[in-house]
Amino acid sequence: MNFRRLLTMLWLLAALSVITGCWDRKELNEIGIVLAMAVDLEPGIGYKVSCQIVVPSEVASNSDKSTTTSVTLVKATAPTIHEALYKMTLSSPRLSYMSHIRLLVFSEELARKGIAEVLEALIRDPGFRPDYFLTIARGSSAEEVLTILTPLESIPANSLYYSLRNSVDVWAPTIEAYADTTVEKMVASGIEAVMTGVEIHGDRDAGGSKKNLASIRPKASLQFTGMAVLKKDRLVGWMDEAESKGYNYIEGNVRNTIGHLDCPYGEGEVTLLLLRSDSDVKPRLVGGEPEFDVKLRVVQTIYGDSCKSALNTEYAIRQLEQKANERLAHIMKDSVDAAKTRLKADIFGFGRAFYRKYPTEWKKIGMHWNEKFAEVKINYFVESQIRRIGSLDNTITKQMKEEMPE
């Protein structure tokens, strides 16, 4: 028995001798947690990389009298992304910890030349998780976007992250473009990638100072706007708000949104809240040519009513549903037309859907799909349902008019 115990102990000691433990551990007081990163082109050098790093003492402090910000910006220039990240140690006492990054911002100049090299470097690095959002700075450098302080969130990266996430949930023109799914689209056939743009409004120089938070109207603010359209890894143009909505309707990305229609009987407007939607794209082969049917189904409820006539009749509801069908079909068609003619990029994945159903025919047209896409016929079918008309049978304005003495 003693011999067996001794043998077991020897085996355990032998096992412990080859266990390395946490060989790459880093203590919390040695790292700087990066929540956002910006990449710009640096002429003659390569890249300028900027990291928004949390200041732990400021985040943990409950004092309102602090004179410093909750984040700091560390930057470096180098021929490659990782050289720049490591070079940041020249000006930062902490190693950049990238596992908590929430947002990666590209400059428009870099995006037009190509972002594949940057994304490949980051995805190869095990220190990066590929679930961060990608955006493109419009009208400014990517670095400047990370210098703007935000009033409702002490950490600007969190403000951008939550703003984008919430706008995707309740407002249709934005999109959550994750790094991994964007790369999948960049290397796939029959589909192109998109991502949301971000702009600086106001005084950029004042936006990086705490004075930007001292007024009820900040001197500078950040706002997501427009949808960037890429061909492979290069930015080719932008979609406006309505076109971006059309893209999200076709892709089935719209969770909630709100809009208005003209009243069925004349003057006034009806506000409609979209409760849910789903879409389906079906490819067909007609006379040897590709053709697509886009089917959209939405469920809505009335949120506001300034119509002169009541909307509590079945005829009025059917009229509104017909108007909604026409409006949504028009929005989707405008978005597809912009992609066909102005941008010449199939961001909707029509080509990929066709390839999956007709792989043999795809071999004939796949190499020149973006050119072929401009000639493809697309049919739109919308089915709108208005389930509820709200808790009022009549508008408040109409009731007031009825009570007024003549």
Side-chain angles (χ1 to χ4, degrees), residues 209-224:
S209 167
K210 268 212 162 184
K211 293 180 180 178
N212 195 47
L213 311 178
S215 170
I216 194 170
R217 291 183 177 178
K219 296 181 181 298
S221 62
L222 297 169
Q223 181 175 322
F224 290 106

Side-chain angles (χ1 to χ4, degrees), residues 326-386:
E326 295 171 359
R327 173 69 65 84
L328 291 171
H330 181 71
I331 289 173
M332 291 190 294
K333 185 178 184 303
D334 283 352
S335 181
V336 172
D337 288 347
K340 279 182 173 183
T341 58
R342 191 175 78 243
L343 302 167
K344 296 180 174 58
D346 178 11
I347 58 177
F348 308 94
F350 289 121
R352 185 166 64 176
F354 186 81
Y355 161 71
R356 288 172 176 171
K357 189 170 182 180
Y358 303 102
T360 303
E361 284 74 11
W362 174 257
K363 293 179 181 179
K364 304 173 185 177
I365 60 175
M367 292 297 294
H368 308 285
W369 173 245
N370 280 325
E371 291 77 11
K372 185 69 175 178
F373 173 56
E375 307 168 358
V376 167
K377 182 180 180 182
I378 300 174
N379 308 302
Y380 305 92
F381 304 93
V382 183
E383 180 185 338
S384 299
Q385 292 184 1
I386 297 176

Side-chain angles (χ1 to χ4, degrees), residues 223-234:
Q223 181 175 322
F224 290 106
T225 177
M227 189 176 287
V229 175
L230 281 69
K231 264 190 181 179
K232 295 304 180 184
D233 70 324
R234 297 187 176 189

Side-chain angles (χ1 to χ4, degrees), residues 265 310-321:
Y265 299 112
L311 297 177
N312 54 3
T313 66
E314 183 176 351
Y315 177 77
I317 296 300
R318 297 291 88 81
Q319 288 291 101
L320 280 177
E321 288 175 345

